[in-house]
Amino acid sequence: MFRRPTLAALAAATALCAPSSASAALDLEIRPSFTPPVAPEIVDTTPDGLTLLATQSTTVGVWDFTNPAAPVARPLSVPADDPGIDDDVTGVTSVAAVNSRYALAAVQVGDADADRLWVIDLQPSTPTVVNEITIADFPDSVAVSPDATYAAVAIENENEGGATTGSVEIVDTSNVDPTLWTTTNVPVPADPDLVDPTDVQPEFVDINASNVAVVTLQENNGIGLLDLTTGSWVDIFSAGEVTFTADVSEASPSALEFETVVTEKREPDAVKWIGNGSAFITANEGEAANPDNADESPARGGTRGYTIWSATGKVLADGSSGYDARLADFGLIADNRSADRGSEPEGLDVAKFEGREYAFINNERGFSTSMIDITNKSAPKFVTVGMAGEEPEGIVTIPSRKLVVTANEAGGQFSIFAVKDTSQLDPLRPVLRGNETPFFNVRGLGATATGELLVVDENKPNKIRKATVGKPGYADMTDHVTVDAALAAATLQDVAPKAGGGYWAAVTGFGTVDLVGLDATGALTDQITLSTAPTATGVATSPDGATVYVSSSASNAVTRYVVAGGATDTFTVPASVTPASAKLLDLGTAANGDLLAAEGSTANPLSAFNVLRIPVAGLASGATAAPVNVQTIAATDQRSVRNVSGIARTSTGGVWTANGQQRNGNTDLRRIVVDGAPVDPGPPAGPQGPAGPAGPAGSNGTNGQNGADGAPGAVGPQGPVGVPGTVGAPGPV
């Protein structure tokens, strides 16, 4: 029953992850996150978007989501233990709202033969489980039909090699009384197109307006279509393989190079109907290692993308080629994932915004959510990436409120995104973007003499790149300088401009050297040892360039290096009380010559970071500085919920911090105010338009009558002056 994609479809796949044009109307803006006491995993909302639901280990979290900035918890009342059976809850695997009053949750219990489906009444002030329906063992996802008359539960049956294969529980939810809802269990039949057809494991389910459920069989690399009205399988078929380009090397030193052509099984995870049920889309995690690559360590696997299918299972488009490269364009792919399934697309939701249909795909190991325009099902367009917390699992869209919410299983928080017009994105909270050049682990900020930010890109070989600020939503990076090959194994931590041209960089992993000098081409010019055990994190220069300051995260000490003569001395910056174990992570320079420092916790999870101003004029060698805390920023307001790794002041007056540097990259910038410094100006206006044409000349007056002394005719009035030309539109950024 397998529909093999055409060669033409495979050949076209590489184009499907190209970024959309600059005229794309919508984008994602991350809002402050929300962290409940127990990490969420699968998330949903009621149809009005005002109640948030999420699985939390052995219960379901319920929140009043009227104000997304401050959700209010509504603890769930669960059934009491039955002393006659083992019904202790061991896990809640999924939750879905049926309507604005009721929700369903798939619950695993200690009973070895059956699990439960909770019916939750959301109307009371204390939400309550009002019905427990017995279902087959090992449920996974739950979905509700658009008309709310059916629900379906994917029974994964994780008894590896067990006698009972997986199934789907069809739930009749049409009765207004939820205590009368009934279920029908429909096993998945063995199919020769499936991997291991005797042990089929349904993973994810969704239902269209015709009440046909699409079910992914991830472990079996298959997909099934089930008619809920008849309880019969319409079709079961293999998800097939996809050929795509990927970065599969984890060589040392690390480098991202999306050039290897590989073929992998799709092994789809989440699935959603699109186009009013005329097609569906899968997020292809590609979970199993490919046995053809078993001699590699680790064995390569993962299809790293998505597939759009017709309602009958024909491949319409596949976005695997280039998918991880687009994430790396935002610094959200780490090289240690290259061989081991890459970004792992997993969670998925679909919604219409402003008349266009979009897919939002969670990248579990890319700590992000991709936004794909799927209005044209045969030619989807990659729009943008939203930074989520660590390992986003569940996702739900709220079109009526223009919100997208992810539940981040490892990070423990909800990430909340606003869907906004690109022109309305905040220019003071931009995201670094690599312009189709991969980067990861940005570690510091400096500034150029012309107002750009300097960033250190750890993607090997080390690069120093320029980022232009002032554009809504993004700080595009260009003009990278490749650092001397002698530093290939080292890590540049921070960068500052060098008087006369070139750069100073704080460095680790380069023997005993803490500070290096580079010329404008990146060639190594200076190697300076400041300590016996280099732990340099930040570097800054005095306004005249005569003194270089280097910070250490190990001792909260700052070393002064005088360029002329090489004299050094050290002073101490006392750690702040909050956050605990605060360390100096980066340095910059204020306009008056004071140091600016980014101070963050080395603990995980991070609680906050501080921006310090450190007066250094007249500070004696060995002295203790008296820093002033300019601003404390809570971790929940660091949109990526990651640590701070950079601070710099541009020549146009803006002080910027970089927030990130916790595993998979750093892309979030923040413009802060220090001593009332002005906001950096935006891009210059375009040239003035040409002057308008001159008006016509006035007509001559009539001549006087003939006569000896007849007076000449009067001169006619002058014509109107031409209208001035309009001012030209602003030039391009």
Side-chain angles (χ1 to χ4, degrees):
M1 298 181 188
F2 166 42
R3 283 89 172 160
R4 183 173 300 278
T6 65
L7 293 176
L10 290 175
T14 56
L16 301 183
C17 269
S20 60
S21 66
S23 61
L26 297 182
D27 216 302
L28 289 176
E29 183 164 84
I30 182 76
R31 300 293 183 86
S33 60
F34 160 53
T35 305
V38 179
E41 184 174 358
I42 302 301
V43 62
D44 198 17
T45 66
T46 50
D48 57 13
L50 298 179
T51 300
L52 186 71
L53 309 164
T55 60
Q56 292 183 291
S57 184
T58 58
T59 190
V60 174
V62 182
W63 294 268
D64 182 334
F65 202 56
T66 305
N67 179 5
V72 178
R74 301 174 59 205
L76 177 68
S77 175
V78 300
D81 286 344
D82 186 333
I85 60 173
D86 181 5
D87 63 349
D88 292 342
V89 176
T90 59
V92 180
T93 62
S94 189
V95 64
V98 177
N99 48 42
S100 292
R101 177 165 182 177
Y102 296 109
L104 294 173
V107 181
Q108 294 181 342
V109 297
D111 189 328
D113 298 320
D115 282 325
R116 305 287 186 269
L117 188 64
W118 280 350
V119 181
I120 302 170
D121 188 346
L122 302 171
Q123 189 175 65
S125 56
T126 300
T128 303
V129 176
V130 294
N131 190 11
E132 281 191 289
I133 303 172
T134 299
I135 58 176
D137 237 5
F138 292 102
D140 199 326
S141 75
V142 178
V144 176
S145 64
D147 63 7
T149 60
Y150 287 99
V153 186
I155 304 297
E156 188 169 9
N157 178 41
E158 291 181 304
N159 291 314
E160 300 291 342
T164 305
T165 191
S167 59
V168 174
E169 291 277 1
I170 300 176
V171 188
D172 184 342
T173 56
S174 60
N175 199 302
V176 294
D177 183 353
T179 64
L180 300 178
W181 292 353
T182 59
T183 65
T184 302
N185 184 269
V186 181
V188 183
D191 190 287
D193 284 340
L194 300 180
V195 174
D196 193 3
T198 62
D199 184 20
V200 184
Q201 299 186 28
E203 183 84 15
F204 209 97
V205 60
D206 194 40
I207 307 170
N208 68 10
S210 299
N211 288 321
V212 174
V214 56
V215 184
T216 57
L217 314 169
Q218 182 176 12
E219 307 295 334
N220 312 91
N221 192 37
I223 296 171
L225 298 170
L226 176 64
D227 187 334
L228 302 183
T229 62
T230 63
S232 59
W233 290 95
V234 177
D235 202 357
I236 296 173
F237 52 92
S238 170
E241 296 179 335
V242 60
T243 298
F244 61 102
T245 56
D247 174 38
V248 297
S249 172
E250 295 178 1
S252 181
S254 299
L256 293 172
E257 298 172 338
F258 299 91
E259 300 172 350
T260 304
V261 177
V262 296
T263 299
E264 302 286 350
K265 293 181 176 65
R266 286 189 173 92
E267 295 175 330
D269 194 320
V271 62
K272 286 287 181 179
W273 287 101
I274 61 176
N276 293 322
S278 63
F280 57 89
I281 181 172
T282 57
N284 302 329
E285 185 179 10
E287 190 171 50
N290 189 330
D292 294 337
N293 307 312
D295 56 337
E296 299 183 19
S297 181
R300 192 174 70 230
T303 39
R304 313 167 196 218
Y306 62 92
T307 304
I308 297 177
W309 312 75
S310 74
T312 58
K314 176 185 176 183
V315 173
L316 301 178
D318 193 287
S320 296
S321 279
Y323 186 83
D324 274 9
R326 295 287 70 77
L327 300 186
D329 204 28
F330 293 79
L332 291 165
I333 288 289
D335 196 49
N336 63 2
R337 297 295 308 166
S338 291
D340 192 16
R341 300 193 294 276
S343 58
E344 288 195 37
E346 186 170 1
L348 168 68
D349 203 7
V350 170
K352 278 190 175 182
F353 292 90
E354 305 294 338
R356 300 190 69 82
E357 194 163 22
Y358 296 90
F360 299 86
I361 303 173
N362 277 351
N363 307 300
E364 184 179 14
R365 303 293 180 170
F367 300 177
S368 59
T369 296
S370 303
M371 181 178 181
I372 314 292
D373 187 336
I374 56 172
T375 306
N376 183 341
K377 295 182 286 296
S378 298
K381 294 292 185 180
F382 195 104
V383 177
T384 191
V385 179
M387 294 178 297
E390 193 170 347
E391 297 186 16
E393 177 84 8
I395 183 170
V396 63
T397 56
I398 313 176
S400 62
R401 306 184 69 187
K402 293 189 175 181
L403 294 175
V404 178
V405 181
T406 69
N408 310 317
E409 182 180 14
Q413 69 284 115
F414 294 102
S415 292
I416 303 169
F417 302 87
V419 179
K420 301 180 69 172
D421 187 278
T422 301
S423 64
Q424 297 176 356
L425 297 178
D426 189 352
L428 304 184
R429 299 292 300 277
V431 170
L432 286 174
R433 185 168 58 181
N435 287 326
E436 300 188 50
T437 303
F439 72 95
F440 67 92
N441 281 7
V442 171
R443 289 188 176 270
L445 287 183
T448 69
T450 52
E452 300 98 344
L453 291 174
L454 293 172
V455 296
V456 175
D457 179 1
E458 194 191 350
N459 191 11
K460 299 298 193 255
N462 282 292
K463 293 180 176 64
I464 297 172
R465 307 180 71 182
K466 295 178 182 179
T468 302
V469 292
K471 179 180 179 181
Y474 296 103
D476 287 322
M477 296 199 298
T478 57
D479 300 330
H480 63 269
V481 173
T482 300
V483 175
D484 200 309
L487 292 160
T491 298
L492 269 64
Q493 300 285 349
D494 190 22
V495 64
K498 192 177 186 182
Y503 311 94
W504 291 109
V507 65
T508 56
F510 194 45
T512 61
V513 175
D514 307 80
L515 177 66
V516 296
L518 307 167
D519 68 15
T521 69
L524 186 63
T525 58
D526 306 87
Q527 302 180 48
I528 301 162
T529 296
L530 301 177
S531 62
T532 57
T535 54
T537 53
V539 64
T541 57
S542 58
D544 60 6
T547 304
V548 182
Y549 299 88
V550 179
S551 61
S552 167
S553 64
S555 60
N556 270 29
V558 175
T559 299
R560 280 182 291 213
Y561 170 74
V562 180
V563 177
T568 62
D569 71 289
T570 301
F571 58 87
T572 300
V573 180
S576 299
V577 175
T578 302
S581 65
K583 301 292 183 182
L584 296 178
L585 299 176
D586 195 58
L587 294 179
T589 309
N592 67 350
D594 287 352
L595 285 182
L596 298 173
E599 180 194 54
S601 171
T602 56
N604 187 8
L606 174 72
S607 58
F609 75 85
N610 304 314
V611 177
L612 307 179
R613 189 182 66 191
I614 307 169
V616 294
L619 190 64
S621 176
T624 298
V628 176
N629 191 344
V630 175
Q631 190 171 359
T632 296
I633 301 173
T636 54
D637 197 34
Q638 291 182 73
R639 300 177 304 177
S640 56
V641 197
R642 296 173 183 152
N643 216 331
V644 61
S645 66
I647 187 167
R649 181 183 185 277
T650 67
S651 60
T652 49
V655 177
W656 294 81
T657 63
N659 311 320
Q661 199 44 52
Q662 189 166 313
R663 294 183 63 180
N664 284 30
N666 165 9
T667 60
D668 185 17
L669 302 179
R670 173 193 293 268
R671 169 68 168 80
I672 64 172
V673 176
V674 177
D675 292 339
V679 173
D680 296 85
Q688 183 169 327
S699 59
N700 292 328
T702 58
N703 292 325
Q705 293 181 354
N706 292 333
D709 298 314
V715 177
Q718 183 170 337
V721 177
V723 178
T726 58
V727 176
V733 174

